Amino acid sequence: MAAVLERSYIEICGFERETLPRFREITVNLGLEAISGGVKFPDSSGGFHYEESGKLLSITSNRFIHWSTSGDTVQLVEQSLDTNLLNNAVRLKIAHCTLLPGGVHIQETGNNVIVLIVTNQTVHRLVLPHPTRMYRSELVTELQMQSVFTDVGKLSLQDPAHSAVIPTAAGQTGAPSASAAWLSLGGEAHYALASPAGGILVITLPPLDTQGSVSIMELKRSTVMQRLAGWMPTAIRGEQSPGNLALSLAVRELEDDTFIFALCHDHKLRMWSFRDQVCLMEADMLESMPACRGVKRVSGQGHRLRLAFSSATGLCLAVYLAMPQGGQFTVMQLVATDNHRYSLDTISSLFATQETLVDFALTPTDIWALWLDETNQSVVKYINFEHNVAGQWNQVFVQPPPEEEVHIGADQDARETYLEVLFSPLHFTASAILKALQITRRGSERIADMPWETLKKEVTVAVENELQSSVTEFEFSQEEYRQLQVEFWSKFYACCLQYQEALSTPLGLLVNPHTAMVCLLKKGFVSFLLPCYAVDHLYLSYDESLFSEEETPIADDPEVARDVLQLVQCLRLVSEAVPGDMAYEMEQALEHLQSPERAAELVLENLLANDNDYLIEDIQNKLQDIRNPLAAMVALLREMDLETDPEAAGEAAPSAGQSLGLRLSLAQLYGSSLAVSVVCQAVCHMAMTRALLCRDLLILQKLYLRLGDNMFLGGGGQLLQLQQDLIPRSSHLLCSYHLLKHISQSLASSVPMDILDANLQHLSVLELSDSPALATNRTVLCPQTVVELFYQSVARRSIIAQIYGQQQSPSPATALLHWPHMVSSVVTLLAQLLWPSNPGFQFPECLMANCQYTQLQEYVRLIGPWCQVNMGSCHFMLGQCYLANGEGQKALQCFQKAAPEVEKEEFLLKLAGTEEEEAASTPRLQYYNKVLRLLEDVGLPELVVQLATLAITEAVNDVRSQAALWTRIFKHHLDLGHNSQAYEALTQNPDSSRQLDCLRQLVVVLCERSQLQDLVQFSYVNLHDEVVSIIESRARAVDLLSHNYYELLYAFHVNRHNFRKAGTVMFEYGMRLGREVRTQAGLQKQVNCYLAALNCLRLIRPDYAWIVQPAAGNVYERPGASPKRDYDGELAPGPVSRQVDILELKDLEKEYTLARSRLTLAQLDPPSAAIAGSASAVEMVALLVQTGLFDCALSLCQTFKLALTPVFEGLAFKCIKLQYGGEESQNEAWNWLAANQLSTVVSTKETSATDEAWTLLASYLEKHTSQNAPHYRCVINKLLSHGVPLPDWLVNAYKGVDAAALLRLYLNYDLLDAAAELVLEYVDALLGKGHQYFGIERPLSATAALVWLPYTSIDQLLQALNETQTNASMYNKLVDKMEDYHKLVDLTSRRRLLV
């Protein structure tokens, strides 16, 4: 509900908590000497408001300057409630001069702000640029702006144009005591000074940009006396009488003249015309003070004069006359009569209290006054001088000084407690703490201002050092040390109190007539007066003031209003009765989440037990006067409850018709750190006041319950209502205001940028990063309270939009910024945004966005037991905090607790946010999905699995969501290495396509991790073919060297006893190895693969021992090339059609032998591995022979049924090379000889490689015999072709097999002698001489088998011998031998015929 305002105000301090204001020091020295024995003027202060400070669209909106003087120094500070001003503080020191009280006057022109300063010896003029000239553009978008004092250091203030010395008359002593200054339309600066000898001295500086000298004019009483009473003797005129001495001066320009008003020592008010230099009017002020008639001889030292002008009333003057009997304010209106005569009409006379007046201000309607009472405390009051009830002044509740003693609980640490009080945002300025720190350190060096956190550390170190240095003993009991701590900390605290009190000395009032803003100017800071809410006003009012109240705006019904007043008086009595320790206990009970009602009962019992002053009796008597206590309580509770109407709670959107300039102005309104501090402290004070009120009300309600029916006219029903409705409501409000008080004083933590960035990443995962409540404010000055952080980054924009978005609100472009109305609206709306029972959840969102996790946890802790609104959202926030602190399991529990509230709470609904791909799922499932994403982003897979498992129970009827969740569970189990659980999740997935994806991932990941045992042993129910297909496709797609999927597939099939499939896999693997991996290792692997394939086929029945030959694919044509790409790197086209070949066991054995021979070749000659990889059997024989692997070549030829001729030829050639080669070839030969199965004959003598080679050849010829001995023929042919003599053993061996063939070979190579010899031997053998050497069983005889001779070859031999002369003897010998043979043949033939 809208809060009801009272006429009273409350003071709120705008402390500078971050650092001290950085003053720029400027010294002006005009070469004067200090006046000896001069008057010491008191410190003073004042201020200036820009003409357009009340206009929203102005660059000077809510902007003002305040100043203070002390001795020879004046401090000028410009401040704004909308933007932070840079370089806004100047400290001007005028050497050897003393500032007059009120000696600073500020005026603005179209282009400049002009500061006129008066000291006891000099006058000065500072010409500064006007803000409108500094920022030409209408649209100012910066968060910070330059102050008008930015370039003040560039002014040469010693120049005659800026400064002048006040002339002193001969023999005159003393200095001016009062001053006024103004700027004429022509630009001259005029300074009116009260001359110590009476009269007024006016000093004029020429306009800044013109040449001219300082002019001086003196206004004296004699001027008017010469005109009106020139005959009067000098003695009677009394020109120099001290009564003439002006105590207070004021100036006003009216029409074409300037009037100077002087309130003089003789209680008379005189008005001078500056133009005519005459005194136009003189009025005795005592005439308006009946009680003071006849005291004219009493001099008036404390008289004050103020002016106020408005178009409605004209010029009003307020005169304060200080008399021993008491002060009086007289307000008069200046009335002009004919002939330039003027008179004063008294509007009102108001009597003031006995306190010492410090300052007062006059507005067209009110007088604001500031006093100091006997205890040196500020007293501020104001009154409407025309409309008031019996001269009743309105109260202003000023800030009391901090408590003199700090209460430390038995369970609390003294240091922590004192630090909390010292550095809470309410009590002490940084200046006071710094000064106390300097005293504690006893150091002469000045401590530079430092950040808040650093200052806190320095204070702790200083006090602890002090304590340590005072200790003489080495051992202490805990209690003794605690006492010492309290002693030293209280000493430091007392020092801070003294400095704070000094800084809180009031110097003046600053009232802005344009915005009705009132500031209290103090020595160390500025405080602001804010309108007081009706409830707070009643509770805070002084008793005499409260008793005089006749009505209260809280209730319309006069009876209820009267009861409310009586009830509040009782509450004040309760407040006085509650002792400090019980108040502390109650506070602690709230802090520790104990029942407020139980705590109130304990306090009441304590009061009843210790009621020595009969306070409870007084309260009971007072309660008798309340006719309807329940109605009064309901009225109070309703007024304090900040719960909003849910329908009206929505944020008002900025009006579409607003101009850009207006929107920018609204975006900055009340956005400066000063305004932030004031608004948030106002919320804090409201919370503190109302928390005490609720506490006292709860105690009073408990007292009502104890007193029972006799206190209620309505009987038991009212008692029941009190117990069941009002007490719980009071308890709830007490907890709510305690929470507001806590967060208003809770400092925000500074957060490193990397944590902010990580947090932003998490928020973007939740899709919350663009939420207005989550706008992180990275430029925020730190430290500030979390409420200030919230107001600055989120709430202010929302509040201003709400204020200007209401239908009945005036147009922002024309409406004035009326401070009391605006600030009370802002404070109320901020308190409503913070109110825990309202549906909005922006404050915790803001804490989360700004990483204020500790504060957020404390917030959730405090509202946990009693607040039923947004509990799910709070659990979610708490989960976020736990996540940030690394407590994942706790976070998960919180996220789970939040889930049931998703459909009910706005924040969680927004979090769940309907997404396109998940539009069909329920909000709760969407919520789970967001949280799962968050947990994944943070990197907590175990928690993802837990939460996803829980979410599956929610998605009973949603197959898509189930599939997504199972996929998630599978992924994270797999990442964690939980292979069995990952497999389980995969089998549970209802979506076949996702299941297949998961299966593929399972295979790949387990292969990469080499966890093949798990992969093979899973049962794969209904997924067997898919697994095989996946592994096969992977096997064929990836590089053979990086991943071995073939072996996995082999193991998979063997594990399932599918040997033929296993054999097929290994055979395909071997084929690919031969094509793609042409290295020795690859060939070794290929051999192993073929062996494994053979083993598999031998394990099954012979009928089934066959496999389908795998497709060959693209055969390599160049080593190292990709099987999937051609020479240009383009993807090679796949084969169009393939023929199916069946391979049996014998085919595999052939392939194995070929592979084995390739490996053997590669082992002896590694470079040949690249060629051997794809060589056929025929090519392999050639390669083996070339390398010298004859055993292997023979074996291969036999397996593939190839001719052995290449082998024998190759070996024969090797023998020839060795025969005629050098030693090097001999050494090399041993390598390949060793690779062959040499003869087992052990020779006693040392053999050469050549001998061994011939031996090997001989053994092969012997071993591999065949019809007609082709191998001998090819060997002899090879030897003869190279011209090598045939070894005897070879000739002898071949003779016995095929002598005719040997003869033909001899003839082919023209070896006639050898051929002739052979024929001779052969014929001899036939004739019976050595027939066994030619394989002839029996020589020629009639009974033996038939024999024959190769006549054709012999004829050719004879022909050849006959043709050559050299072989004649051989020819003859052969002819003779043939004749002998023919004779025997003839004889034998005849005998056979005879037989």
Side-chain angles (χ1 to χ4, degrees):
M1 61 171 292
V4 182
L5 295 176
E6 256 290 357
R7 291 187 303 275
S8 60
Y9 280 74
I10 187 163
E11 180 195 0
I12 302 293
C13 304
F15 284 168
E16 81 304 337
R17 286 201 313 282
E18 170 64 4
T19 48
L20 304 172
R22 290 186 175 83
F23 284 98
R24 275 175 305 155
E25 309 276 350
I26 295 172
T27 303
V28 181
N29 193 339
L30 298 181
L32 299 171
E33 293 294 325
I35 299 173
S36 58
V39 180
K40 184 170 170 50
F41 295 118
D43 295 352
S44 67
S45 72
F48 158 78
H49 285 278
Y50 290 95
E51 192 67 36
E52 294 194 338
S53 59
K55 292 184 182 174
L56 177 63
L57 291 174
S58 167
I59 202 165
T60 55
S61 65
N62 287 317
R63 198 159 159 176
F64 60 97
I65 298 171
H66 61 88
W67 51 264
S68 63
T69 65
S70 179
D72 61 355
T73 305
V74 56
Q75 289 185 168
L76 294 148
V77 181
E78 185 184 20
Q79 290 193 312
S80 165
L81 296 174
D82 295 352
T83 51
N84 292 324
L85 300 177
L86 302 172
N87 306 309
N88 65 327
V90 176
R91 188 179 281 122
L92 195 63
K93 181 173 177 151
I94 301 165
H96 309 304
C97 299
T98 309
L99 271 293
L100 296 192
V104 180
H105 309 271
I106 304 174
Q107 273 181 266
E108 64 179 315
T109 64
N111 295 326
N112 298 104
V113 173
I114 297 175
V115 183
L116 305 175
I117 300 172
V118 186
T119 73
N120 61 345
Q121 297 190 75
T122 56
V123 293
H124 305 269
R125 167 171 61 187
L126 274 67
V127 181
L128 308 167
H130 197 277
T132 52
R133 289 290 168 270
M134 294 174 74
Y135 286 84
R136 292 283 178 181
S137 164
E138 287 297 312
L139 306 176
V140 178
T141 56
E142 292 93 337
L143 291 169
Q144 298 176 318
M145 290 169 62
Q146 293 293 346
S147 160
V148 294
F149 295 122
T150 297
D151 295 329
V152 73
K154 296 177 183 175
L155 301 176
S156 41
L157 299 177
Q158 275 92 344
D159 287 4
H162 290 108
S163 302
V165 179
I166 301 171
T168 50
Q172 181 184 323
T173 58
S177 56
S179 68
W182 74 99
L183 208 65
S184 68
L185 292 172
E188 295 103 341
H190 304 287
Y191 303 84
L193 310 171
S195 172
I200 297 169
L201 193 69
V202 180
I203 299 173
T204 303
L205 296 182
L208 191 67
D209 49 356
T210 58
Q211 293 294 324
S213 57
V214 177
S215 61
I216 297 161
M217 175 199 304
E218 192 172 3
L219 303 176
K220 282 193 174 181
R221 278 281 286 107
S222 56
T223 328
V224 70
M225 293 309 288
Q226 281 166 1
R227 287 180 61 191
L228 303 177
W231 51 269
M232 192 180 289
T234 303
I236 300 171
R237 288 205 303 270
E239 285 175 14
Q240 302 304 323
S241 78
N244 237 358
L245 177 66
L247 297 174
S248 185
L249 293 175
V251 174
R252 179 72 202 184
E253 288 184 284
L254 284 175
E255 297 163 359
D256 56 347
D257 197 359
T258 301
F259 298 133
I260 302 171
F261 296 88
L263 182 59
C264 300
H265 208 275
D266 56 5
H267 318 302
K268 289 186 178 173
L269 177 67
R270 297 180 170 87
M271 183 174 95
W272 299 82
S273 163
F274 176 63
R275 184 188 62 193
D276 302 334
Q277 302 176 23
V278 293
C279 178
L280 299 177
M281 182 189 73
E282 183 178 286
D284 190 346
M285 290 293 100
L286 290 181
E287 289 177 6
S288 63
M289 199 170 181
C292 297
R293 293 183 194 281
V295 291
K296 293 192 178 189
R297 289 183 186 81
V298 177
S299 63
Q301 286 293 348
H303 297 349
R304 307 285 174 92
L305 170 64
R306 298 284 183 270
L307 304 181
F309 181 83
S310 75
S311 53
T313 57
L315 185 65
C316 289
L317 296 86
V319 172
Y320 174 76
L321 297 179
M323 293 295 174
Q325 302 89 330
Q328 176 184 315
F329 292 94
T330 306
V331 184
M332 295 165 287
Q333 188 176 7
L334 183 68
V335 181
T337 56
D338 299 337
N339 304 328
H340 291 285
R341 292 177 183 275
Y342 293 88
S343 65
L344 293 170
D345 284 357
T346 301
I347 298 173
S348 176
S349 288
L350 303 160
F351 294 97
T353 51
Q354 291 288 347
E355 289 99 347
T356 311
L357 184 76
V358 177
D359 189 18
F360 82 98
L362 177 69
T363 73
T365 55
D366 299 316
I367 291 177
W368 287 84
L370 165 65
W371 292 273
L372 275 178
D373 64 12
E374 312 81 47
T375 60
N376 239 19
Q377 297 300 317
S378 308
V379 177
V380 183
K381 294 183 182 178
Y382 81 100
I383 191 167
N384 184 309
F385 52 74
E386 282 191 279
H387 310 289
N388 57 66
V389 182
Q392 179 76 36
W393 288 76
N394 295 302
Q395 289 174 258
V396 173
F397 303 110
V398 295
Q399 281 301 322
E403 294 287 336
E404 290 192 10
E405 287 186 9
V406 176
H407 190 288
I408 303 167
D411 56 341
Q412 286 182 308
D413 179 55
R415 178 174 63 191
E416 282 183 19
T417 311
Y418 273 103
L419 282 173
E420 198 175 314
V421 175
L422 284 168
F423 289 89
S424 91
L426 295 175
H427 305 305
F428 293 94
T429 58
S431 320
I433 299 173
L434 265 174
K435 286 178 178 174
L437 176 61
Q438 190 139 10
I439 291 292
T440 308
R441 280 182 172 179
R442 299 187 178 87
S444 55
E445 85 284 354
R446 188 174 174 278
I447 303 172
D449 59 339
M450 53 184 79
W452 203 237
E453 283 303 314
T454 314
L455 183 58
K456 202 171 186 176
K457 286 175 190 163
E458 290 294 327
V459 166
T460 309
V461 169
V463 177
E464 292 295 322
N465 286 347
E466 186 90 348
L467 188 154
Q468 300 292 340
S469 61
S470 71
V471 169
T472 52
E473 297 174 29
F474 292 105
E475 288 189 11
F476 285 107
S477 69
Q478 193 75 29
E479 191 51 43
E480 284 172 325
Y481 183 71
R482 181 182 162 85
Q483 288 299 328
L484 268 176
Q485 264 196 319
V486 172
E487 180 188 328
F488 279 91
W489 276 103
S490 60
K491 191 169 150 190
F492 181 79
Y493 181 76
C495 196
C496 290
L497 273 178
Q498 286 177 354
Y499 282 115
Q500 185 63 30
E501 189 179 346
L503 291 170
S504 303
T505 306
L507 299 179
L509 280 166
L510 174 58
V511 181
N512 184 345
H514 312 297
T515 62
M517 181 172 80
V518 184
C519 296
L520 195 51
L521 305 174
K522 302 193 174 185
K523 195 174 177 69
F525 54 92
V526 179
S527 59
F528 295 77
L529 303 189
L530 276 64
C532 195
Y533 298 103
V535 179
D536 306 18
H537 163 80
L538 290 178
Y539 187 70
L540 294 171
S541 291
Y542 313 119
D543 289 342
E544 66 274 11
S545 169
L546 188 61
F547 296 144
S548 66
E549 292 266 3
E550 291 181 358
E551 57 184 26
T552 171
I554 289 176
D556 298 329
D557 183 349
E559 288 292 323
V560 177
R562 196 191 69 82
D563 282 348
V564 167
L565 288 171
Q566 296 286 347
L567 183 66
V568 172
Q569 288 178 24
C570 293
L571 292 176
R572 290 295 302 274
L573 289 173
V574 171
S575 178
E576 289 165 17
V578 175
D581 57 338
M582 290 313 293
Y584 173 77
E585 289 297 330
M586 186 101 181
E587 182 89 7
Q588 289 303 105
L590 291 170
E591 198 63 36
H592 297 142
L593 308 183
Q594 294 161 8
S595 161
E597 297 170 33
R598 177 75 192 120
E601 272 178 33
L602 292 173
V603 173
L604 181 62
E605 284 169 12
N606 180 278
L607 291 180
L608 292 168
N610 303 309
D611 188 21
N612 301 328
D613 300 330
Y614 304 105
L615 280 167
I616 298 293
E617 247 178 69
D618 294 348
I619 294 168
Q620 287 182 20
N621 295 335
K622 204 85 172 143
L623 291 178
Q624 302 287 348
D625 299 338
I626 305 175
R627 294 172 194 168
N628 189 347
L630 294 192
M633 287 179 196
V634 167
L636 268 182
L637 291 172
R638 187 184 62 238
E639 190 60 30
M640 284 192 291
D641 196 346
L642 295 175
E643 200 164 323
T644 53
D645 179 6
E647 292 173 9
E651 185 177 323
S655 170
Q658 290 178 352
S659 68
L660 177 62
L662 176 57
R663 289 206 302 277
L664 286 171
S665 295
L666 287 177
Q668 292 181 323
L669 186 60
Y670 301 130
S672 73
S673 51
L674 178 66
V676 170
S677 178
V678 169
V679 167
C680 297
Q681 286 205 35
V683 170
C684 185
H685 280 287
M686 178 176 83
M688 289 167 74
T689 305
R690 294 190 182 181
L692 290 174
L693 197 159
C694 292
R695 179 201 72 186
D696 298 341
L697 180 59
L698 196 55
I699 295 169
L700 196 65
Q701 287 170 336
K702 289 291 178 182
L703 180 62
Y704 263 119
L705 274 186
R706 191 172 280 259
L707 296 172
D709 291 349
N710 57 349
M711 292 302 295
F712 292 100
L713 300 175
Q718 287 191 328
L719 209 57
L720 193 66
Q721 185 190 350
L722 177 66
Q723 193 162 8
Q724 294 187 347
D725 177 30
L726 297 183
I727 288 181
R729 276 175 68 186
S730 302
S731 173
H732 190 276
L733 283 178
L734 173 56
C735 291
S736 298
Y737 278 114
H738 175 75
L739 175 73
L740 252 63
K741 181 174 78 170
H742 174 85
I743 58 177
S744 302
Q745 296 181 41
S746 174
L747 291 179
S749 321
S750 55
V751 184
M753 283 302 287
D754 55 340
I755 293 179
L756 275 177
D757 290 335
N759 186 50
L760 196 61
Q761 165 68 23
H762 300 336
L763 294 179
S764 62
V765 168
L766 295 172
E767 294 176 24
L768 289 175
S769 50
D770 54 350
S771 167
L774 296 169
T776 53
N777 195 355
R778 301 197 171 195
T779 59
V780 168
L781 286 173
C782 196
Q784 52 181 356
T785 66
V786 288
V787 173
E788 287 177 22
L789 176 68
F790 171 60
Y791 174 77
Q792 200 163 20
S793 54
V794 180
R796 185 182 60 80
R797 205 176 296 111
S798 158
I799 288 166
I800 299 300
Q802 205 168 331
I803 290 173
Y804 284 101
Q806 293 162 353
Q807 293 300 316
Q808 67 271 27
S809 66
S811 161
T814 56
L816 284 175
L817 297 168
H818 186 256
W819 167 255
H821 166 71
M822 287 296 289
V823 77
S824 57
S825 300
V826 170
V827 169
T828 305
L829 290 170
L830 176 58
Q832 286 174 351
L833 284 174
L834 295 168
W835 195 247
S837 303
N838 283 335
F841 198 63
Q842 291 168 302
F843 177 64
E845 278 187 77
C846 171
L847 291 186
M848 180 175 75
N850 289 284
C851 305
Q852 304 297 316
Y853 299 120
T854 313
Q855 295 84 339
L856 184 51
Q857 277 178 276
E858 184 63 8
Y859 175 84
V860 176
R861 183 187 77 82
L862 285 174
I863 68 170
W866 50 269
C867 181
Q868 301 308 314
V869 182
N870 287 322
M871 282 320 292
S873 305
C874 285
H875 283 308
F876 178 81
M877 289 296 178
L878 196 54
Q880 281 279 75
C881 296
Y882 284 136
L883 266 192
N885 296 333
E887 299 180 86
Q889 208 61 47
K890 287 184 182 176
L892 184 63
Q893 289 170 8
C894 292
F895 293 143
Q896 289 173 2
K897 284 182 189 171
E901 308 298 322
V902 170
E903 290 92 344
K904 304 172 197 168
E905 294 179 17
E906 190 184 336
F907 169 75
L908 292 177
L909 269 174
K910 177 177 71 175
L911 177 72
T914 307
E915 297 163 22
E916 289 173 22
E917 74 272 12
E918 295 168 357
S921 56
T922 63
R924 200 180 293 192
L925 275 175
Q926 289 167 18
Y927 163 77
Y928 279 131
N929 276 332
K930 286 281 182 70
V931 176
L932 286 168
R933 271 189 229 162
L934 175 65
L935 292 172
E936 285 172 341
D937 192 60
V938 177
L940 297 169
E942 298 99 331
L943 302 188
V944 174
V945 170
Q946 285 182 43
L947 189 62
T949 310
L950 177 72
I952 285 170
T953 59
E954 293 283 336
V956 180
N957 303 318
D958 189 345
V959 176
R960 257 179 74 204
S961 298
Q962 275 191 340
L965 289 166
W966 279 119
T967 304
R968 224 179 206 128
I969 292 172
F970 161 80
K971 175 187 176 297
H972 290 290
H973 270 316
L974 191 59
D975 291 347
L976 289 166
H978 304 161
N979 301 340
S980 304
Q981 290 93 322
Y983 172 71
E984 283 297 323
L986 175 154
T987 56
Q988 297 284 342
N989 203 318
D991 184 339
S992 55
S993 67
R994 281 185 186 249
Q995 197 175 40
L996 212 56
D997 292 341
C998 293
L999 192 58
R1000 193 171 289 112
Q1001 198 175 355
L1002 180 73
V1003 171
V1004 173
V1005 170
L1006 290 190
C1007 284
E1008 284 173 352
R1009 292 187 193 152
S1010 303
Q1011 294 174 331
L1012 305 180
Q1013 184 77 27
D1014 289 354
L1015 189 55
V1016 169
Q1017 286 183 341
F1018 291 139
S1019 56
Y1020 302 111
V1021 180
N1022 301 328
L1023 291 169
H1024 185 275
D1025 293 346
E1026 284 81 356
V1027 176
V1028 171
S1029 166
I1030 288 167
I1031 302 177
E1032 274 182 357
S1033 62
R1034 294 293 298 176
R1036 287 167 185 159
V1038 300
D1039 183 15
L1040 289 174
L1041 294 178
S1042 56
H1043 295 90
N1044 200 336
Y1045 287 100
Y1046 282 106
E1047 289 180 1
L1048 168 65
L1049 200 52
Y1050 169 73
F1052 185 84
H1053 287 312
V1054 167
N1055 196 51
R1056 284 159 180 73
H1057 301 290
N1058 193 342
F1059 294 114
R1060 190 163 69 183
K1061 278 274 183 73
T1064 308
V1065 168
M1066 290 317 274
F1067 185 72
E1068 182 181 333
Y1069 184 26
M1071 281 176 60
R1072 278 192 62 195
L1073 282 166
R1075 286 201 308 273
E1076 298 171 30
V1077 188
R1078 297 179 182 178
T1079 62
Q1080 187 176 327
L1083 292 172
Q1084 177 70 64
K1085 208 152 200 169
Q1086 186 183 31
V1087 169
N1088 294 345
C1089 288
Y1090 286 156
L1091 261 178
L1094 280 169
N1095 279 344
C1096 287
L1097 290 192
R1098 284 183 179 134
L1099 287 170
I1100 51 181
R1101 285 189 302 178
D1103 298 354
Y1104 297 99
W1106 55 267
I1107 60 171
V1108 175
Q1109 179 165 9
N1114 297 324
V1115 177
Y1116 276 169
E1117 293 179 359
R1118 57 205 163 98
S1122 164
K1124 298 183 280 294
R1125 296 182 184 274
D1126 59 19
Y1127 280 96
D1128 301 321
E1130 299 299 323
L1131 285 170
V1136 178
S1137 61
R1138 295 193 181 98
Q1139 184 180 351
V1140 175
D1141 294 329
I1142 301 296
L1143 297 177
E1144 295 180 344
L1145 201 54
K1146 59 179 184 292
D1147 301 318
L1148 258 67
E1149 285 170 345
K1150 282 185 180 180
E1151 287 296 328
Y1152 167 70
T1153 307
L1154 183 59
R1156 182 78 226 165
S1157 62
R1158 288 172 182 151
L1159 177 62
T1160 310
L1161 174 66
Q1163 284 169 340
L1164 191 67
D1165 182 22
S1168 63
I1171 313 158
S1174 58
S1176 65
V1178 176
E1179 292 165 338
M1180 272 309 298
V1181 170
L1183 288 169
L1184 290 166
V1185 167
Q1186 186 184 330
T1187 319
L1189 295 170
F1190 299 104
D1191 276 358
C1192 197
L1194 287 169
S1195 172
L1196 193 61
C1197 290
Q1198 286 168 334
T1199 305
F1200 283 88
K1201 297 188 171 53
L1202 301 174
L1204 302 181
T1205 311
V1207 181
F1208 284 100
E1209 285 183 346
L1211 183 50
F1213 183 65
K1214 290 268 187 194
C1215 291
I1216 295 164
K1217 280 176 71 179
L1218 283 171
Q1219 187 91 33
Y1220 298 103
E1223 192 162 335
E1224 192 179 337
S1225 60
Q1226 291 276 330
N1227 294 336
E1228 284 176 6
W1230 284 112
N1231 291 334
W1232 60 263
L1233 280 169
N1236 295 293
Q1237 193 71 42
L1238 295 170
S1239 64
T1240 53
V1241 179
V1242 178
S1243 174
T1244 52
K1245 64 171 187 173
E1246 192 178 325
T1247 58
S1248 66
T1250 313
D1251 296 340
E1252 288 293 334
W1254 287 113
T1255 308
L1256 184 65
L1257 180 58
S1259 69
Y1260 282 168
L1261 288 168
E1262 195 177 320
K1263 197 185 295 181
H1264 301 284
T1265 54
S1266 61
Q1267 195 179 2
N1268 298 328
H1271 307 135
Y1272 280 93
R1273 185 169 65 247
C1274 78
V1275 169
I1276 292 168
N1277 191 33
K1278 191 74 175 173
L1279 293 173
L1280 293 177
S1281 67
H1282 284 83
V1284 177
L1286 299 180
D1288 292 344
W1289 62 265
L1290 184 60
V1291 173
N1292 293 337
Y1294 197 28
K1295 272 194 308 192
V1297 179
D1298 193 351
L1302 180 60
L1303 176 61
R1304 283 192 289 276
L1305 283 168
Y1306 280 158
L1307 289 174
N1308 286 348
Y1309 290 100
D1310 286 344
L1311 297 173
L1312 301 180
D1313 288 351
E1317 289 289 340
L1318 179 64
V1319 172
L1320 289 171
E1321 283 182 19
Y1322 191 37
V1323 173
D1324 280 347
L1326 288 174
L1327 294 175
K1329 183 181 172 184
H1331 60 84
Q1332 66 274 17
Y1333 296 119
F1334 284 88
I1336 299 168
E1337 290 180 10
R1338 289 173 65 189
L1340 180 64
S1341 71
T1343 56
L1346 298 178
V1347 293
W1348 65 279
L1349 269 179
Y1351 285 110
T1352 310
S1353 300
I1354 293 170
D1355 288 345
Q1356 286 171 350
L1357 175 61
L1358 288 168
Q1359 176 70 26
L1361 288 171
N1362 192 23
E1363 287 173 358
T1364 56
Q1365 293 298 320
T1366 52
N1367 294 322
S1369 61
M1370 185 58 75
Y1371 174 76
N1372 295 328
K1373 196 184 288 186
L1374 189 55
V1375 169
D1376 292 344
K1377 184 61 74 177
M1378 286 306 293
E1379 282 177 2
D1380 292 347
Y1381 173 70
H1382 284 138
K1383 283 176 188 174
L1384 184 59
V1385 168
D1386 185 48
L1387 178 65
T1388 308
S1389 300
R1390 288 174 190 280
R1391 284 179 184 168
R1392 184 168 286 253
L1393 287 170
L1394 288 173
V1395 174

